[in-house]
Amino acid sequence: MRAKPHPAAAEPDVSTHAPRGRTTARSLTGEDPHLRAAYRLCHRITRVHDPGIHALFQLMPAALRPACWALWAAASVLDDLADQRDVDSTEREARVEAWTQALERDLAARISTDQVRHALVDTALRWRLDLPHLQGAVSSTLDEVRDRRFADWAEWRGWCEALVPWVDQVRHLFERAGAPMTLRLDRQRDYKQFIDGAQLTDVLTDLSTDLAQGLLLLPREALDPFPDAEDDLRHRRWSPAVAALIAELTSLARQWVTRPAMTTGMHPGAANMLDTAACLLRAQLDAVDAAGPALLKRTPRLSVVTRTRIFAPARLRAGLAWSLTPLTVPEPRRPAVSAHVPRPAADHTALRTSPPHPEGARPPQIPADQMPAHVAVIMDGNGRWAQQRGLPRPEGHHAGTAAVHEIVCGALDIGLRHLTLYAFSTENWKRDTGEIITILEAIRRDLDEGPLRDLDVRQRWLGHPDKLPTELVQALQRAERRTRNRIGLTLTMCINYGGRDEITRTAAALARAAQAGDIDPHLISEDDFARHLPHPDMPDVDLLWRTGNEQRTSNFLPWHATYAELHFTPGYWPDIDRRDLWQAITEYSRRQRRHGAAPLAITRDDASALPSR
Ligand code: FPP
C-alpha cells in the first residue's frame, strides 16, 4: 500500500495564528446538512484509516481541520481504489480514472453527489485551492495502479515526490487562511528528507499488507546489499538477511525524520506539529524494530500508552500556540443552480432530462439546508392494488414498476441525491414462485430496457446474490458499471436485501478483520462497523417513506435509518406519482430533527411562528 503524504510535512515556516474559539465542521458549513454530513464522513475516514494522521490534524488550527479531512479522505479513497487487488489492474485503473473524471465534473458543477468529493469540492472552492495542482495530485494515483519497482533511491524518491502536490494543498490552506507559509530555502533539503523518512516508515509499517498483495515498495539499491532478503521477503520468511535489512532501513528512516533544524524559527504551533510527527514516526519505527518476525504477518501498531505519551503534551502545546491570532476562514461557495441539468456521462451515453410530469406539475422549492440527502422507500401495496381491481397480483408489480419510474423522475426534478428502494426482501422468498419470478423479471427487464437507462442516475444494488437468477445479478452488475460515473441521483435498489442479514454479514466481516489482526476487537467503534457495510459511503436515511397503509419498517436499512423521519401514507404504491414524493419531502423539510439532543429553547412567540405538524 502506498504511504500517503505526511501532513506535518506541510508545516514548515508557518507563522500564523488560530481562532480562539472551537471551529467545527458545523460552524464551517453553516446549516447545510449535506455538507456537514460530507465533512463528517471525511473526518470519519481519516480517523478510521489513519488514527495517527487524525491525531496530528487535531494539532492544527481547528478552522483548517475540515479541509484537511477532505483532502485526506480523497487521498484515502483513491488509494483504496488503486489498491483493490480483487480486480485486475485495468479495472483498478478504470475505477481511479472514473473517480478522477467525476471530480473534474464536480469541480465544474461546484457540487457532487459523492460525499467525499462534495467535501473536497467545497474545500477546493472555499479555499481557492490550486485546481490544476489538485487534479495533478489526484491523477498521480494512477501510477499506483501499476506495480512499482524502483532501481535505486533516486527512483524511489521520484515516487515520493508525486505526493508533494497533496502536501502543497495543505500549505496552500495556511496561505489562504492568512498565514504566510514560505518554505525557507535552507530548509528545503530537510523538508524533502523528512517526507522520504515518513514514506519509508509507512512502507516498513505496511510491509505485511503490501507483501500479501505481491508488492515490495523498496528500491533494488536497498535490497542488493542483503543477498536473499528480497526472496525471503516475497515468501514472507523471516531470515537473518531480512532482519539486517529491516534494521538498516529503520535506522535510515530514523535519520531522515530527525531534522531538528527544520523547526528552527518556526511558528510554535507548526513546530509542535512537526516535532510531534517526528516523535510519532520514531515511535512507529521502534514498533517496526520490536515486531521481529511478526512484521511479515501483521501491521505493527502503537500502544495507547505510547500514543498518549506523545499526544497529550502535544495537544497542550498546540492549544497554547494557536490560541493567539484568528485565521480567516472563507465562506462556502454554493452552486448557483437548483434545477437538475444532466451532463454528458463518461460512457458517452447522451443523457436525457427526466420526462415532465403529465400534468405539468413542478417541484416545490425546498431550501438546500432543509432537503433530505437520502430518502428510502418501502413500496407497499402492489398486491392489494391488483386485488382491488380483480387483477392477478403480478399485475400490481407491473404497475409498481411504472411508479418507480415516476418517483425517480420526481427525485431528479427536486434535486434529491440518494433514493433507495426496497424492491425485494430476504423475506419475499416466502411468496408464491410465480409472483417471485414476476417481480425479479420485472426488475431485470427494467434494468436492460427500461426508461431509467438514459437518465442521469447512478444505479446501485444492495442485497445478496444467493438464490437470485444469474441473469438478474449480471444485469445489476452491468447497470452499476454502466452508470457509475453519473452524478444526478444515486438510486440504490435493495434486492434480496434484509437489514438483519446486512448487519450479520457486516459483523462477520469485522470478526474476520479482527482475526487477521487488522482491527483491535476491544476498540471496535461505530465507525469501524460503518466502514465494513456493503456500501460504506451510503449516507444515513433522512426520510423513510412507506406506502400501503402499514406502519412498520420491515427489516429495511436498520443501520442507516436509526434517526430517519418516518412518513406513512395510505395509498398503494402503483397509485403513487412524483407529487407524493415532493409532498413527503415538503413535510420532512418542516420537521425539527434533534438526533437525541435537547429541544431548542423557544419563546412563546417563536412557538407560534413554527410550522404546524
Ligand atoms: C410490496 O407490495 C411490493 C413488493 C414486494 C415488490 C416491489 C417491486 C416493484 C415495485 C417492482 C420494482 C421494479 C423496479 C424497476 C425496481 P406487496 O406485494 O407486498 O403488496 P401487498 O401488501 O398489497 O400484498
Side-chain angles (χ1 to χ4, degrees):
M1 189 180 143
R2 171 188 184 157
K4 295 184 198 79
H6 211 272
E11 294 294 297
D13 303 315
V14 177
S15 56
T16 182
H17 304 88
R20 282 166 207 280
R22 203 170 117 77
T23 305
T24 61
R26 172 180 282 271
S27 57
L28 280 178
T29 58
E31 285 308 308
D32 180 344
H34 308 311
L35 198 53
R36 225 167 35 236
Y39 275 113
R40 263 205 309 264
L41 178 70
C42 294
H43 186 188
R44 196 193 304 152
I45 290 174
T46 310
R47 199 172 59 216
V48 172
H49 277 233
D50 299 284
I53 296 300
H54 175 257
L56 281 173
F57 282 158
Q58 294 302 105
L59 303 179
M60 293 178 87
L64 300 183
R65 285 179 211 152
C68 291
W69 301 328
L71 286 163
W72 199 261
S76 297
V77 166
L78 278 164
D79 204 33
D80 287 350
L81 287 177
D83 248 4
Q84 288 169 343
R85 299 285 142 170
D86 54 327
V87 291
D88 63 22
S89 62
T90 318
E91 176 59 22
R92 291 203 300 275
E93 208 167 315
R95 289 181 186 182
V96 171
E97 223 152 40
W99 202 94
T100 312
Q101 284 171 3
L103 176 65
E104 248 169 62
R105 284 197 304 278
D106 293 349
L107 283 167
R110 300 170 153 237
I111 196 163
S112 176
T113 50
D114 174 275
Q115 285 193 303
V116 170
R117 288 201 302 269
H118 191 44
L120 187 62
V121 166
D122 180 72
T123 289
L125 298 174
R126 180 198 298 263
W127 292 95
R128 286 182 292 125
L129 294 184
D130 180 344
L131 292 186
H133 251 84
L134 178 64
Q135 278 152 348
V138 169
S139 40
S140 70
T141 308
L142 269 180
D143 293 345
E144 294 310 298
V145 176
R146 299 154 203 134
D147 290 351
R148 302 305 315 255
R149 282 166 198 267
F150 315 103
D152 50 28
W153 283 113
E155 242 178 54
W156 185 88
R157 283 201 182 92
W159 172 60
C160 292
E161 265 167 25
L163 302 179
V164 170
W166 281 108
V167 178
D168 281 348
Q169 301 307 318
V170 181
R171 289 185 35 223
H172 206 91
L173 288 178
F174 277 85
E175 276 159 28
R176 291 284 176 228
M181 211 178 164
T182 331
L183 257 182
R184 284 164 49 168
L185 284 177
D186 59 339
R187 301 282 181 257
Q188 291 268 11
R189 223 177 91 80
D190 283 327
Y191 168 69
K192 286 216 161 90
Q193 204 133 64
F194 182 84
I195 294 185
D196 292 347
Q199 283 285 72
L200 185 53
T201 307
D202 272 358
V203 168
L204 293 169
T205 302
D206 288 339
L207 205 55
S208 61
T209 331
D210 288 345
L211 288 172
Q213 296 175 352
L215 290 175
L216 183 54
L217 298 171
L218 291 168
R220 289 230 59 78
E221 188 185 345
L223 296 164
D224 283 348
F226 302 89
D228 300 332
E230 177 173 1
D231 196 46
D232 290 339
L233 276 175
R234 290 201 183 274
H235 289 91
R236 304 175 87 179
R237 277 193 305 261
W238 186 258
S239 63
V242 169
L245 170 72
I246 301 297
E248 164 89 6
L249 292 177
T250 50
S251 150
L252 195 59
R254 222 174 255 112
Q255 279 173 38
W256 287 349
V257 299
T258 308
R259 307 276 103 201
M262 196 163 62
T263 54
T264 314
M266 203 182 277
H267 182 283
N272 176 46
M273 204 172 148
L274 201 57
D275 291 340
T276 308
C279 242
L280 189 70
L281 289 164
R282 282 192 295 267
Q284 187 60 48
L285 290 164
D286 292 345
V288 169
D289 275 335
L295 183 65
L296 305 186
K297 295 203 177 70
R298 67 186 80 94
T299 308
R301 303 226 181 266
L302 293 186
S303 69
V304 175
V305 175
T306 307
R307 282 208 304 264
T308 311
R309 185 174 49 73
I310 295 171
F311 280 107
R315 273 195 292 270
L316 285 176
R317 288 194 300 269
L320 203 64
W322 295 117
S323 66
L324 304 170
T325 324
L327 294 176
T328 315
V329 181
E331 284 298 304
R333 294 168 172 234
R334 306 306 309 145
V337 285
S338 63
H340 174 69
V341 182
R343 283 167 291 277
D347 56 355
H348 305 301
T349 309
L351 293 182
R352 290 184 301 119
T353 45
S354 53
H357 184 267
E359 292 166 29
R362 295 294 308 141
Q365 291 289 321
I366 306 286
D369 59 349
Q370 287 162 26
M371 264 296 282
H374 186 182
V375 175
V377 188
I378 303 177
M379 310 179 286
D380 197 12
N382 289 352
R384 281 168 286 161
W385 180 91
Q387 278 159 355
Q388 207 177 46
R389 287 161 177 74
L391 298 168
R393 288 176 60 86
E395 287 304 319
H397 300 308
H398 287 305
T401 306
V404 167
H405 304 156
E406 178 59 17
I407 286 304
V408 169
C409 292
L412 284 167
D413 291 345
I414 201 168
L416 184 66
R417 299 255 176 75
H418 288 265
L419 176 68
T420 299
L421 301 178
Y422 206 3
F424 191 85
S425 75
T426 44
E427 287 67 41
N428 286 150
W429 294 107
K430 293 176 198 150
R431 295 187 178 208
D432 172 84
T433 311
E435 186 176 344
I436 293 174
I437 292 173
T438 306
I439 298 174
L440 298 183
E441 184 48 24
I443 298 171
R444 209 270 314 141
R445 202 163 341 106
D446 203 67
L447 288 164
D448 283 339
E449 302 154 25
L452 303 185
R453 281 179 61 89
D454 302 333
L455 298 179
D456 192 7
V457 175
R458 176 169 72 131
Q459 292 193 33
R460 296 205 297 189
W461 163 40
L462 184 57
H464 210 265
D466 283 358
K467 296 206 271 185
L468 287 178
T470 314
E471 306 80 66
L472 175 57
V473 173
Q474 286 170 347
L476 286 162
Q477 289 168 343
R478 263 198 312 275
E480 276 190 348
R481 270 199 306 276
R482 191 167 42 77
T483 65
R484 66 186 170 194
N485 294 322
R486 300 189 185 175
I487 59 174
L489 167 75
T490 296
L491 171 66
T492 306
M493 307 260 216
C494 295
I495 299 163
N496 198 19
Y497 170 86
R500 285 189 175 177
D501 176 72
E502 179 181 49
I503 286 182
T504 311
R505 288 177 197 277
T506 305
L510 265 183
R512 282 194 297 275
Q515 204 171 32
D518 293 338
I519 191 163
D520 181 344
H522 298 102
L523 299 175
I524 290 176
S525 64
E526 288 185 11
D527 290 338
D528 293 321
F529 191 91
R531 200 159 51 87
H532 286 80
L533 284 163
H535 289 315
D537 62 334
M538 183 193 252
D540 280 354
V541 173
D542 296 310
L543 173 62
L544 175 60
W545 173 25
R546 181 176 189 142
T547 60
N549 213 20
E550 303 290 353
Q551 306 208 347
R552 51 180 176 268
T553 57
S554 301
N555 202 17
F556 188 38
L557 301 173
W559 179 268
H560 303 86
T562 310
Y563 280 102
E565 293 293 323
L566 303 179
H567 182 69
F568 299 109
T569 51
Y572 297 145
W573 178 253
D575 286 330
I576 291 304
D577 93 0
R578 67 188 83 176
R579 285 172 298 193
D580 297 297
L581 174 70
W582 297 342
Q583 177 60 28
I585 291 176
T586 305
E587 280 186 32
Y588 167 91
S589 71
R590 296 187 184 131
R591 295 199 189 172
Q592 193 195 24
R593 303 185 75 199
R594 293 201 291 270
H595 296 280
L600 293 173
I602 50 172
T603 63
R604 203 172 293 221
D605 288 348
D606 291 337
S608 60
L610 284 176
S612 54
R613 318 207 235 138

